[in-house]
Amino acid sequence: MKRISSRDNPAVKHLHALATSARDRRREGETLLDGAHLLEVALARGAALRQVVVSESGKSLQEIARLLARCNPDILVEVPDRVFAHVSPVDSPSGVLARIAIPVQPDALSVVGTCVVLDGVQDPGNLGTILRTAAAVGVGDVLLTPGCAQAWSPRVLRAAMGAHFGLRLWEGCDVGAALAGFPGAILAADLRDAVELYALDLQGPVAWLFGSEGLGLSAAVAALATQRVLIPMPGGMESLNVGVAAGVCLFEQLRQRRSGR
């Protein structure tokens, strides 16, 4: 296993840039997986790992040691704990991270099955939660408008817990073009002129539209909806966190499909 001890090493500088800069991640086409769980999912899904970095103390942990044994030894790098903390994308370093390529998106997108559209969702935790939920219910495509947080950022990856490897993610998406000719309902989570979620037939394809935490859907994306959907809240709350709202809607659709409504 190669060992690097200096923060001035070019490889360490590269890792630090990927950990801290969305611009560098886009330019290099790479990102970081933080923690043993994400590394384990990546290995299980056959992801191409470009580099695996372990801290001096992390190497002694049994869970991490087992994962390192499954990796190509040529890509393994050990660094002191202080250097690992410098390149870690999170405040509490996990002891292991991996550098991977961000998948290249095809130029054209046409969606025919149930999908999730995220419009201006900027919180990494909310975005990761929605991706995790979408993967859990079997949604294949998630479309993100240019105002969303970077889907392949380390913090979103951590929140999604491996969901990225089971989804097709379309960042910077022209949602109007992507949904042109969509064969199912296009449903916007909204409070205005809306039908209650549980009154709808959700057994067919649905394009779910979810907006930003503070502003909701933009006018352009909201105009694509064929129906507005209201989640009933008899307790009197005005709204739900976007991650929670997406979970309620997606699992209600799953319930209807499994039970025949």
Side-chain angles (χ1 to χ4, degrees), residues 28-39:
E28 300 295 336
E30 294 184 331
T31 190
L32 300 180
L33 305 178
D34 176 74
H37 176 77
L38 284 181
L39 177 56

Side-chain angles (χ1 to χ4, degrees), residues 45-206:
R45 295 297 184 102
L49 305 176
R50 294 184 171 181
Q51 189 177 54
V52 175
V53 181
V54 62
S55 68
E56 192 171 13
S57 59
K59 188 177 68 170
S60 64
L61 299 177
Q62 189 175 41
E63 180 184 22
I64 292 177
R66 285 198 302 265
L67 293 173
L68 296 180
R70 295 167 57 187
C71 297
N72 179 347
D74 293 338
I75 66 171
L76 299 181
V77 176
E78 179 186 344
V79 298
D81 287 359
R82 58 178 175 78
V83 174
F84 190 90
H86 177 64
V87 300
S88 173
V90 296
D91 296 333
S92 300
S94 63
V96 67
L97 58 83
R99 177 167 59 87
I100 65 167
I102 296 173
V104 177
Q105 295 181 186
D107 293 332
L109 166 63
S110 179
V111 181
V112 295
T114 289
C115 64
V116 171
V117 175
L118 302 180
D119 184 27
V121 177
Q122 297 178 342
D123 181 81
N126 285 338
L127 179 51
T129 295
I130 295 170
L131 297 182
R132 187 177 180 183
T133 302
V137 301
V139 168
D141 294 287
V142 178
L143 288 56
L144 299 96
T145 66
C148 288
Q150 189 181 39
W152 288 89
S153 74
R155 291 184 182 275
V156 174
L157 280 156
R158 189 177 177 94
M161 296 291 286
H164 289 67
F165 299 106
L167 295 168
R168 292 178 295 275
L169 303 179
W170 307 89
E171 294 192 87
C173 187
D174 181 344
V175 177
L179 295 182
F182 183 74
I186 302 177
L187 303 182
D190 207 331
L191 299 175
R192 301 166 294 168
D193 304 320
V195 175
E196 282 200 7
L197 172 68
Y198 304 117
L200 293 172
D201 183 348
L202 303 174
Q203 296 182 75
V206 174

